[in-house]
Structures are given as structure tokens and as C-alpha cells.
Amino acid sequence: MQWKHQSCMSDCRYYCMIRREEERQLGGLSPVKYHGKWPFKRVSVFQEPLSAALSALNLLTHFIGWLSFFLQVNYRLPLRPQTKRTYYEYTGLWHIYAILSLNAWFWSTIFHTRDIDLTEKLDYSSAVAQLGYSLILTLLRTFNVKDEAGRVMFAAPILAFVTTHILYLNFYELDYGWNMKVCVAMGVVHIVAWTTWAVVTHHPSRFKVWIVIFGGALAMLLEVYDFPPYKGYADAHSLWHASTIPLTYLWWTFVRDDAEFRTSTLVKKAK
């Protein structure tokens, strides 16, 4: 129990919950939440084994996507002859996006493996930070903001809000309902911005954006309309984790396509 970081209280709480749910099932009753969470069946150290495994797969998918993007912009596409830097104006922003995404999925894996107060706060904080930065990057790319002053004007208010929200969750109250509303609101802005961009642009890979938008909107419904875990393992949240794996892979292919398209356009202008 010690190496699993379990205590007598948490272990008794778990087996009491499982036994109680077995009694409810025999009585034809639906599962209920305990301490604000659905009753999951443990597997070794994994409190939510399916969500933990799918979080790790999301982490791997982001890493592979980032690596392929890094190799493309630095070794496969031409560099600026004077500075040897990439032509693509959003290279550095996508690198930051990748780091925040890797961090978010790492803590998601840890949290679903062992749910304690520290891992829960790190998971929620990392997810909000990644979503907030993604919103900044979305607005910068869809509005094609290239100058530093313009980027600061877009980023500053969002950074201030996201930072305040993270501090609120960590030091005042970890309000699940309020956090869900904030995340859904940022997700809706994402969808609206990219949808508008995909409609007006003539980008050759805009169809990939349409697929990610549609898939992401459907996946968001899994976060909003929660349901208990099937057989004690697969709940709405774990299915959301599963849906984001192919969407993440497709998204990084769009990022690579965007880098190639922008680089080709800028090279032609330079010539």
C-alpha cells in the first residue's frame, strides 16, 4: 500500500464503494458518484486505468507530431539565408504549444493513475494553461497576426484571465462546475475562430481543419454530458481521451501543411 501511495482510509473507502455499488447493481439501481467522482475499478496502481492509458497515448501522439514538425521546419523546408531561421512565422508558437500539450497530457496520465489533491490540481492547471495558450495561438493564426505588438495585444488579456483562473482553482476553490464552463467557453471560441478561418481561406489543407472542428465539437459533448463508467472502466471522460488521439494526429499534419504552405508562399515572394 505504501509504494502505491495508498492509505488505510483511501483503501477502505475504495472497497466500501465497490461493495456498495455491487449491492446497488443487484437492486437494479444506477451508479452514483462518491466524493464527486464515478466509481472506477482499480488495476494495480491505476485508479482509472483506461483514462490513464489513453492520456499516455495522447502524450505520445503529441510528441510524434511535434517531432515531425520540428524536423520538417528545420531540415526539410528552406531556411532564411541571412539568419538561417525558418520562413514560417509561427514556428516558435507551435513549439510552445507542443511543450504545454506534453505537460498537460503527462499530468493527466499521472492524475488518472493516482488521484490525490496535488495531482488533481496539476492536471486541471496544466489543462487550463494548454487550452488558454491554444486560444491565443488560434487567434494569432486565424487573424494572421505577425508583428510583436499585435501579438501582445491579443495574448495579454487571455494570459491574465487564464493565470487568474488557475490561481483561483489552486488557492481558493477547485470548482469543477465553474472550470467546466470556462473550458467550454474557450473551446467554443476555438471552434468559431477556426470555422470562420476555414470558410474564408483558400488554404489547401482547410478540409483537415473542418474534420478537427467537427470531431472536436462532438468530443466536447462527451465532457458536457457525463455518464457513469461502463463495467467500471469506460466513462464519458475516457471516451473523450480516445477521441482526441486521431484528432491530435490530424491536427499536427495540418500544422506541417501550414508550415509548408506559408514557407512556399514566402519563398516565392522573396524571389
Side-chain angles (χ1 to χ4, degrees):
M1 285 179 62
Q2 288 180 349
W3 75 267
K4 291 180 182 180
H5 290 277
Q6 299 281 359
S7 65
C8 288
M9 175 64 75
S10 64
D11 213 43
C12 288
R13 187 177 282 178
Y14 169 74
Y15 285 109
C16 179
M17 175 188 73
I18 294 299
R19 184 173 298 177
R20 178 61 179 150
E21 278 304 304
E22 290 173 352
E23 293 171 355
R24 289 178 59 83
Q25 189 175 11
L26 290 173
L29 300 173
S30 301
V32 294
K33 289 186 176 183
Y34 296 82
H35 307 283
K37 301 179 188 299
W38 289 117
F40 288 94
K41 292 182 180 178
R42 292 194 316 218
V43 176
S44 185
V45 298
F46 300 98
Q47 287 185 281
E48 298 177 31
L50 185 58
S51 289
L54 292 171
S55 294
L57 285 175
N58 272 283
L59 174 66
L60 179 62
T61 306
H62 267 288
F63 178 75
I64 293 172
W66 180 30
L67 181 61
S68 62
F69 171 72
F70 177 85
L71 293 174
Q72 181 180 28
V73 294
N74 287 283
Y75 298 102
R76 295 173 191 152
L77 295 177
L79 301 175
R80 297 179 186 270
Q82 297 86 0
T83 61
K84 297 301 179 183
R85 299 178 65 180
T86 63
Y87 278 95
Y88 189 47
E89 312 97 320
Y90 304 93
T91 299
L93 296 176
W94 283 115
H95 287 330
I96 298 172
Y97 167 82
I99 292 170
L100 290 175
S101 297
L102 293 175
N103 177 69
W105 285 112
F106 172 78
W107 286 114
S108 176
T109 305
I110 299 299
F111 169 64
H112 290 302
T113 300
R114 184 69 182 94
D115 177 2
I116 58 176
D117 185 59
L118 177 62
T119 57
E120 183 177 43
K121 287 182 176 179
L122 286 169
D123 174 45
Y124 276 75
S125 299
S126 299
V128 171
Q130 192 272 346
L131 188 57
Y133 179 80
S134 298
L135 178 58
I136 294 171
L137 182 52
T138 293
L139 295 176
L140 294 181
R141 181 62 191 92
T142 54
F143 285 95
N144 202 26
V145 182
K146 300 173 186 176
D147 62 288
E148 293 300 321
R151 289 183 174 185
V152 170
M153 289 179 63
F154 270 90
I158 300 174
L159 282 174
F161 173 76
V162 170
T163 302
T164 304
H165 181 61
I166 292 173
L167 291 173
Y168 175 86
L169 294 177
N170 282 274
F171 300 106
Y172 184 73
E173 181 184 4
L174 188 54
D175 189 329
Y176 301 107
W178 169 245
N179 184 66
M180 177 63 70
K181 291 176 183 177
V182 169
C183 292
V184 169
M186 288 195 287
V188 169
V189 177
H190 270 95
I191 291 172
V192 171
W194 280 113
T195 300
T196 305
W197 181 84
V199 168
V200 301
T201 188
H202 297 290
H203 198 288
S205 296
R206 60 187 179 276
F207 73 95
K208 293 183 179 180
V209 176
W210 279 113
I211 295 173
V212 173
I213 289 170
F214 183 71
L218 291 178
M220 192 185 297
L221 295 177
L222 291 171
E223 288 289 86
V224 176
Y225 298 104
D226 194 14
F227 57 81
Y230 178 72
K231 299 294 185 180
Y233 298 106
D235 69 329
H237 188 67
S238 64
L239 294 181
W240 175 75
H241 283 325
S243 68
T244 54
I245 295 172
L247 293 177
T248 297
Y249 173 81
L250 185 62
W251 185 244
W252 277 108
T253 65
F254 164 73
V255 175
R256 293 198 302 271
D257 292 346
D258 189 45
E260 185 175 354
F261 175 70
R262 289 295 306 159
T263 299
S264 175
T265 302
L266 292 171
V267 168
K268 287 179 182 177
K269 285 183 179 181
K271 289 181 179 180

